[in-house]
Amino acid sequence: EVQLVESGGGLVQPGGSLRLSCAASGFTFSNYHMSWVRQAPGKGREWVSVIRTDGFATYYADSVKGRFTISRDNVKNTLYLQLNSLKTDDTAMYYCAKGDARWGINPDEMGQGTQVTVSS
């Protein structure tokens, strides 16, 4: 059974930073591309970033490019997302997901999410 547990969210002022983590279990983490997606109140789910299996290829939505950095540790089975220069529009629930979110995500292979709130 795929288990993904996110942590690291919180309340931060505009311009601030957070680091999200996602602990993975129940599958061979190093064999899968991994993604971060987010959903703001009243909006649809949006893919944020994708990292390929070896960690060298990464992809970002235009809305976060240059501000967010995705990474992974295939020894610790952990996915990360560094969020810098946060904006109020970044307020959302952030989920990690197994697979490449640009092509769709199985809702059963997503975590429960961690809330990021950007507000002064």
Side-chain angles (χ1 to χ4, degrees):
E1 178 188 2
V2 172
Q3 290 196 328
L4 299 165
V5 180
E6 302 93 339
S7 61
L11 173 64
V12 63
Q13 292 185 341
S17 297
L18 285 172
R19 190 191 195 205
L20 308 183
S21 299
C22 171
S25 61
F27 64 103
T28 305
F29 181 73
S30 59
N31 285 356
Y32 290 89
H33 307 324
M34 294 294 295
S35 302
W36 286 97
V37 298
R38 67 185 181 186
Q39 187 162 16
K43 296 186 177 181
R45 193 164 58 214
E46 171 190 24
W47 80 271
V48 173
S49 185
V50 175
I51 187 166
R52 296 182 71 87
T53 53
D54 60 9
F56 289 110
T58 57
Y59 307 90
Y60 298 92
D62 288 344
S63 57
V64 307
K65 199 172 295 183
R67 300 187 297 119
F68 292 7
T69 303
I70 191 171
S71 61
R72 66 190 295 164
D73 185 330
N74 285 344
V75 174
K76 295 182 178 179
N77 291 345
T78 303
L79 179 71
Y80 302 99
L81 188 68
Q82 177 70 39
L83 292 67
N84 295 331
S85 302
L86 281 161
K87 305 175 181 179
T88 54
D89 287 349
D90 295 319
T91 294
M93 187 72 80
Y94 284 71
Y95 304 88
C96 69
K98 175 174 169 277
D100 189 329
R102 295 173 298 170
W103 318 119
I105 284 293
N106 180 346
D108 291 334
E109 296 183 338
M110 290 174 54
Q112 294 301 305
T114 186
Q115 178 68 40
V116 172
T117 302
V118 185
S119 175
S120 55

